[in-house]
Amino acid sequence: MTDKVGVLGKKSPQRTGVERIVNAPLPTVYGQFRAIGYMDHDRGDEQVALVHGEIGAERVLVRLHSECLTGDAFGSQHCECGDQLASALRAVVAEGSGIVVYLRGHEGRGIGLLGKLRAMALQAEGLDTVEANLALGLPVDARDYGVAADILHDLGVNSVRLLSNNPRKRESLLAHGIDVAETVPLLIPPCESNITYLRTKRERLDHILPHLDAMAHLS
C-alpha cells in the first residue's frame, strides 16, 4: 500500500500526467546531449528526452522515437529503427539544436517485446507485420503520442519540424496542441531483410516511403 493517508483518513490523490524528474549531461558518439528524464504517472513508464543545444519554442527539430530493443540495441535488420535513431541524433547535432524523445512502452508498436517477437516468428512463416499482430489477437498499432506532446510542452516547445515518415505522429501532436510546421523525411535505405516489412508499412500503415520505388530488385 503506497497511498498516503491524510489526517481525515482520506487517500491523497495519485499523481497524474508527466513529471520532470532529472536533467543530466549525456555525452554520446553523436555529440553532447542533456538527458531529461520524466515519469509518466498515467502509464507508469519512465521516459527520456535527449536535448541538444539551446532549443527555442518554434520550429524545433524533433524526433519521436518508439522504443525498439531489437533494432536500437541489437542492430536488427528486420526493421530500420536503429538506423533511424542514429540518423535522428546525427541530424539534431548537425542542426545545432533539437530533441529526440525516446518513447518507452512503444515496443512492437505498443504490443511489448514478447508480443513483437511472437509476431516476428509469424512473419518468418509468411505473414506480414499487420497480419501477424492480428493473428495473435493484438492491435496493429497501440502507440499513444500524448506523452511526447506533454514532454514537448514541458520543454517550452510550441511548434516542431518533425523527423518522421509516419503521419499518425503528426496528427497526434496536432491533436495535443503541438504545431507541426514541417515534416522532415527520415528515409533509411532498405535491405533484403526489411524490404517486405517496409512495403507493408507503406501500403497498410500509410507511412510515406517514396524511396522504396527504386528498390524493386529486392525481394
Side-chain angles (χ1 to χ4, degrees):
M1 188 83 174
T2 58
D3 291 322
K4 295 180 180 179
V5 179
V7 293
L8 298 179
K10 296 181 179 180
K11 293 180 180 179
S12 60
Q14 291 184 335
R15 285 183 178 271
T16 60
V18 173
E19 179 187 11
R20 187 191 295 206
I21 302 296
V22 63
N23 183 341
L26 184 69
T28 76
V29 295
Y30 308 101
Q32 296 289 330
F33 288 85
R34 287 180 288 133
I36 303 180
Y38 293 85
M39 173 56 72
D40 178 359
H41 291 288
D42 295 328
R43 294 176 176 269
D45 292 322
E46 297 173 336
Q47 305 288 3
V48 63
L50 300 183
V51 179
H52 177 75
E54 296 300 320
I55 59 172
E58 308 297 333
R59 295 183 61 84
V60 180
L61 187 64
V62 169
R63 166 71 178 167
L64 309 183
H65 189 84
S66 295
E67 175 183 26
C68 176
L69 179 68
T70 50
D72 298 341
F74 302 151
S76 169
Q77 290 190 322
H78 182 270
C79 62
E80 81 278 43
C81 299
D83 287 335
Q84 282 192 317
L85 178 59
S87 295
L89 292 167
R90 291 190 189 100
V92 163
V93 171
E95 181 80 6
S97 65
I99 305 167
V100 175
V101 182
Y102 193 87
L103 292 162
R104 310 281 306 282
H106 277 204
E107 188 76 55
R109 299 196 301 275
I111 64 173
L113 177 60
L114 296 183
K116 180 174 79 170
L117 293 176
R118 291 165 66 201
M120 288 169 61
L122 291 180
Q123 289 172 65
E125 296 176 3
L127 299 186
D128 68 30
T129 182
V130 171
E131 294 166 343
N133 282 33
L134 295 175
L136 292 169
L138 298 171
V140 172
D141 193 340
R143 291 175 293 180
D144 183 340
Y145 301 100
V147 65
D150 289 342
I151 288 171
L152 293 174
H153 282 302
D154 178 75
L155 293 171
V157 174
N158 296 325
S159 72
V160 302
R161 294 164 54 229
L162 183 63
L163 278 162
S164 180
N165 311 317
N166 182 357
R168 285 194 65 226
K169 292 182 180 180
R170 177 182 183 276
E171 294 164 3
S172 183
L173 287 183
L174 290 172
H176 288 89
I178 299 290
D179 183 48
V180 180
E182 180 184 359
T183 300
V184 181
L186 190 59
L187 304 176
I188 305 299
C191 64
E192 187 173 350
S193 297
N194 66 24
I195 185 66
T196 299
Y197 169 78
L198 293 175
R199 285 175 177 151
T200 301
K201 285 176 71 172
R202 182 175 70 171
E203 294 162 9
R204 303 195 65 179
L205 299 173
D206 298 323
H207 287 223
I208 302 170
L209 301 169
H211 66 312
L212 299 186
D213 294 333
M215 303 295 170
H217 63 285
L218 292 178
S219 60

